[in-house]
Amino acid sequence: MTSATLVLTVIGRDRPGLVSAVSAPVEARGGSWQHSQMARLAGEFAGIVLVSVPTGEVEALERDLAALEADGLRVDVRRTDEPAEQQVAAVGLHLLGTDRPGIVAEISRTIAAHGVGIESLATGLREAPMAGGLLFEVTAELVAPVDGDLETLRAALEQIADELMVDLTLG
């Protein structure tokens, strides 16, 4: 039996049972929940989920998930073929500094300009110890071609970190 790979994006007002509401139709259609990232942000629950489901059940699952909108849960479905694994190097990035607009835009623009992708990205605000105020924190997992020039990327990111007056580590 062949299976299809689907990426689901989920958003709705946070309440108990949202994950169950999405996972139940996947299970009922013989699907398998592969990977997910979900979070509660400003009273909304949002996530992205990778599932596989028998090819003959895709349309029925799409209908089941669309019906969840009546309960205030929007689920968008995108069918995808998993890309062939390529040789990449995983690189961690951590940034911490005073919050200001444009940090993510400047950092992500530089990363992309060097042919490096962002596998995962988490950001948040936290209290600055002793000084008061808020600090902005970025934690990311980057994927670079194994033959890529990470030292050039590191130099470019360090220059931006100096301009933004933030601490940045890559490695």
Side-chain angles (χ1 to χ4, degrees):
M1 171 174 13
T2 62
S3 64
T5 301
L6 307 175
V7 174
L8 314 178
T9 54
V10 180
I11 191 163
R13 197 88 177 124
D14 190 35
R15 62 177 164 70
L18 291 181
V19 173
S20 178
V22 175
S23 63
V26 172
E27 178 189 26
R29 297 295 176 184
S32 175
W33 189 285
Q34 302 289 310
H35 184 78
S36 62
Q37 294 285 323
M38 301 181 155
R40 180 181 186 271
L41 301 167
E44 294 291 318
F45 182 81
I48 187 164
V49 183
L50 178 69
V51 301
S52 65
V53 64
T55 304
E57 295 292 329
V58 171
E59 288 181 16
L61 177 60
E62 288 175 329
R63 285 191 303 273
D64 294 347
L65 294 171
L68 296 174
E69 193 147 3
D71 292 329
L73 185 61
R74 181 174 172 195
V75 181
D76 291 317
V77 179
R78 178 168 293 194
R79 189 171 179 162
T80 183
D81 292 321
E82 292 186 65
E85 293 294 320
Q86 32 175 281
Q87 295 287 61
V88 294
V91 181
L93 178 142
H94 183 260
L95 176 143
L96 184 65
T98 303
D99 186 31
R100 73 164 198 72
I103 293 174
V104 173
E106 290 184 48
I107 297 295
S108 63
R109 181 174 34 251
T110 301
I111 291 167
H114 286 82
V116 175
I118 298 175
E119 182 79 10
S120 66
L121 174 75
T123 65
L125 295 172
R126 67 178 180 169
E127 292 290 326
M130 298 191 296
L134 294 175
L135 294 176
F136 185 70
E137 185 171 29
V138 176
T139 304
E141 189 69 29
L142 309 179
V143 287
V146 289
D147 59 351
D149 184 2
L150 287 180
E151 289 311 310
T152 302
L153 174 61
R154 182 184 318 277
L157 289 173
E158 287 174 354
Q159 181 179 349
I160 291 172
D162 288 344
E163 292 169 9
L164 296 174
M165 294 186 294
V166 298
D167 292 327
L168 185 140
T169 55
L170 184 69

